[in-house]
Amino acid sequence: MKKILLLLSIAAFTAPSINAQTEKGDWMVGGYFRLNTSKNNTQIGLSPNAGAFIINNLAVGANLLLDYSKFGENKRTDFGIGPFVRYYFTQANVRPVMHGSLNFTSSRNQTAITSTTENGLSYFLGGGAAIFLNEQVSLDGLMGYQHSKLKGFDGSGGFAFNIGFQVYLHKRQVDRLRGNSSY
């Protein structure tokens, strides 16, 4: 794993500069995937997102949170939706980013005896890097603080690391998809 990250870093720094599409009017679509398995324990998470650049290098949008966990006979399903904001600091191949998101969540816990549903909030605040593989795709790594609070329970939080990707669409591409092709 360390060798792969080292090779990606070297390729990103030595590749010719990529003029990625993070300008006002452009869009981004992507997300993060998480999988963790061990004996009697399975966790699967998916966090898709979509956003628009409201000014150069600043995107705002919406994200979903879909998580499933099974610990022995206990099952938990989480669903969340909310806004995110992301800022890119440079126009280089490897761009430092700051990212914040807030999710309104619903969590369903199921045991052999009971099933309960609780609602609450979760947020993530952190930073990382977007490694642009080409003009329209980046591999993203984010780390920061994640906190969750369900109604009636104490909140919990800690360090989180996410890896995922983003696809960037230039304003002209978005206009074509909408049927406003005047180019």
Side-chain angles (χ1 to χ4, degrees):
M1 181 66 170
K2 287 181 183 180
K3 290 180 182 180
I4 292 172
L5 290 174
L6 178 64
L7 289 174
L8 282 173
S9 297
I10 291 170
F13 283 113
T14 59
S17 181
I18 295 172
N19 183 19
Q21 300 171 347
T22 59
E23 297 177 356
K24 182 178 178 179
D26 295 342
W27 282 75
M28 60 187 275
V29 178
Y32 300 91
F33 178 75
R34 181 175 43 94
L35 175 65
N36 184 10
T37 61
S38 63
K39 187 176 181 181
N40 294 323
N41 179 7
T42 302
Q43 298 175 345
I44 301 170
L46 180 64
S47 298
N49 62 44
F53 287 87
I54 58 171
I55 62 173
N56 289 352
N57 297 320
L58 179 65
V60 296
N63 50 233
L64 290 175
L65 169 68
L66 307 166
D67 278 336
Y68 171 80
S69 302
K70 183 176 180 189
F71 302 98
E73 296 300 315
N74 299 330
K75 299 175 186 174
R76 177 178 171 154
T77 305
D78 295 314
F79 174 77
I81 187 167
F84 78 86
V85 62
R86 177 184 280 204
Y87 184 76
Y88 294 80
F89 286 98
T90 67
Q91 290 292 320
N93 293 350
V94 177
R95 298 182 188 191
V97 298
M98 289 297 296
H99 183 95
S101 63
L102 175 70
N103 282 309
F104 302 95
T105 60
S106 179
S107 179
R108 180 172 185 234
N109 294 302
Q110 186 175 4
T111 67
I113 301 170
T114 65
S115 178
T116 61
T117 301
E118 304 295 335
N119 297 317
L121 291 173
S122 67
Y123 67 86
F124 173 85
L125 183 60
I131 302 170
F132 283 82
L133 305 176
N134 62 36
E135 188 173 305
Q136 292 189 281
V137 178
S138 71
L139 178 64
D140 296 3
L142 296 174
M143 62 183 132
Y145 182 75
Q146 178 141 5
H147 182 84
S148 298
K149 170 77 171 93
L150 296 174
K151 185 177 180 181
F153 294 92
D154 291 335
S156 65
F159 177 78
F161 179 75
N162 296 317
I163 190 161
F165 72 96
Q166 298 294 326
V167 175
Y168 301 85
L169 302 172
H170 192 275
K171 184 180 183 319
R172 288 189 310 261
Q173 293 169 309
V174 174
D175 287 344
R176 275 190 226 130
L177 288 172
R178 291 180 175 164
N180 300 336
S181 181
S182 61
Y183 300 99

